[in-house]
């Protein structure tokens, strides 16, 4: 399969929510055409009106018919379902990637595609606590990490194509096996969601909100994440998330014991060790992408 | 005791860290003089060099000698210690307030002051995950809530004086009983710290940091809080923090059970309920201070 340059490609985006809409905005003018496959008429109309995509349809068969590269920007289980239907919709095959939050189930579905397809899983490490096309932002992917997970259908052409895509949107590619990706994001993304959501479920007192400050706002932010996206994450990465959740509760239980006992030297050590690790993490961020540490916070709006 | 206007007052600030330094910057030019009581020579020198304060001393007796209003910007237990020594240092009394994170122990120490003093506890609901004078910011208090907790030594003059102070720095005063303040901040501030610090203690893998995004950054941010400040919070608000910690672990345990069972309808309800509350909280923020929701994030630097 050839790897035409991005400028000559027709790109299909399945799902014009936050991620798909932001991708379309970032690619505008950088490819031949963008066709959206989106079930909601109002979203299709808005995307066409605003010139975010070239064409829009609710018919998957029509949408995928002539694309060079098809990008799934749907919740993980929707992507898996559609990948199962794809050979019937597009018998001659095409390049396929996705933007989903867990990768093992998506890569397994890609493995099952016929060899007319070339496919690689993708996961841009960015988002907002608001969802939908109205929240889309052409800079969402800029300077962000995008993880790619190879499938049995990954070809050099597929890799070249998604590398051209991340270069166009300003992201930074990282390659990881799907299982490793899923274990890491359980700790660094899915557990933080659970920590935020549990806090938000607990602190429902308006008197508490009234005196709350940026600490509460930031720790609770991920509780606003899209429900369907989160549910698919939870249901497709259960074992890894359970490990992270149990370890997290053990950390909190250890703190509780120290606090019950009023054990000041041990409490001091607990607090100091956490602070040391936070400092190391911030140094890591600075080294990874100078300037990113003080990055614009697109996700506070 | 009279309540002179801020412009005629000599203000003493005990401790030139993030909070005290930011207060001095915010008050610069708005009062007659600012004297810092600060043990570290390098911090005193820097504050004088940068014109942040008028005078600086490491001698509490000299520092408090002629101030109209004394503001403790020290960790809570340091404030309590110094309040106990204050009658000997300043026999004729003065106005006293503080910026500490828990209020019951501070207000109890204020209750014990002789009646030559007028005192009211204060807690500005703001901060950063960095500490020290180098992080000070004259806008730190702007548009932020400042809780005041009355003591047995609170007089109308003391109230007028701290209201003039918060007006000068652009903050929004809220009056609460100390016990109520401590219960609310356990949920809205101390628990979020614990959630952040436990996460940071757990996720120490550089491979995880490498693909981490703004979600992890925001949820973990409070782990960078000043160790001594946090230790004093934990040791002076133990019962309320223990309640919050146990409730939080119960929320996480409930999620764990649902995830173990793969109970999708219940998981969906858990996720959706959290999102609904987050939306209500964001509406509350918008109503509280229009524009604050999308506030500048001073604490990402």
């Amino acid at each position: 399969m050839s790897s035409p340059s991005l400028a000559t490609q027709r790109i299909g985006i399945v799902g014009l929510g936050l991620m798909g809409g932001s991708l379309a905005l970032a690619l505008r003018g950088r490819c031949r055409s963008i066709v959206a496959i989106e079930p909601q008429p109002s979203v299709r109309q808005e995307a066409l009106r605003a010139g975010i995509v070239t064409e829009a349809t609710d018919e998957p068969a029509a949408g995928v018919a002539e694309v060079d590269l098809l990008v799934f920007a749907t919740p993980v289980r929707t992507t898996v379902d559609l990948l199962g239907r794809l050979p019937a919709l597009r018998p001659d095959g095409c390049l396929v990637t996705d933007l989903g939050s867990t990768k093992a189930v998506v890569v397994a579905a890609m493995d099952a595609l016929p060899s007319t397809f070339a496919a690689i899983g993708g996961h841009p490490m960015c988002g907002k606590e608001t969802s939908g096309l109205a929240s889309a932002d052409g800079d969402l992917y800029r300077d962000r990490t995008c993880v790619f997970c190879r499938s049995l259908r990954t070809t050099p052409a597929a890799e070249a194509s998604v590398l051209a895509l991340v270069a166009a949107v300003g992201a930074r590619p990282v390659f990881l096996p799907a299982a490793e990706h899923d274990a890491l994001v359980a700790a660094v993304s899915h557990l933080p969601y659970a920590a935020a959501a549990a806090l938000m479920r607990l602190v429902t007192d308006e008197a508490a909100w009234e005196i709350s400050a940026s600490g509460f706002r930031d720790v609770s932010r991920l509780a606003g994440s899209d429900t369907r996206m989160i549910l698919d994450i939870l249901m497709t990465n259960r074992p890894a998330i359970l490990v992270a959740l149990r370890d997290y509760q053990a950390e909190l239980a250890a703190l509780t014991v120290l606090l019950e006992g009023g054990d000041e030297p041990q409490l001091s050590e607990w607090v100091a060790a956490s602070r040391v690790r936070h400092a190391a993490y911030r140094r890591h961020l600075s080294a990874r992408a100078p300037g990113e540490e003080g990055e614009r916070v697109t996700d506070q709006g």
Side-chain angles (χ1 to χ4, degrees), chain A residues 144 158 162 165:
Chain A
R144 299 302 190 262
V162 294
L165 197 74

Side-chain angles (χ1 to χ4, degrees), chain A residues 17 33 47 75 77 84 89 94 104 112 122 128 140 155-156 160 166 177 190 218 220 245 250 263 270:
Chain A
S33 60
R77 290 185 298 180
L89 296 171
C94 63
K128 294 190 188 184
L140 185 69
T155 60
V166 295
H190 308 164
D218 286 358
S220 67
L245 266 176
D263 185 340
W270 193 97

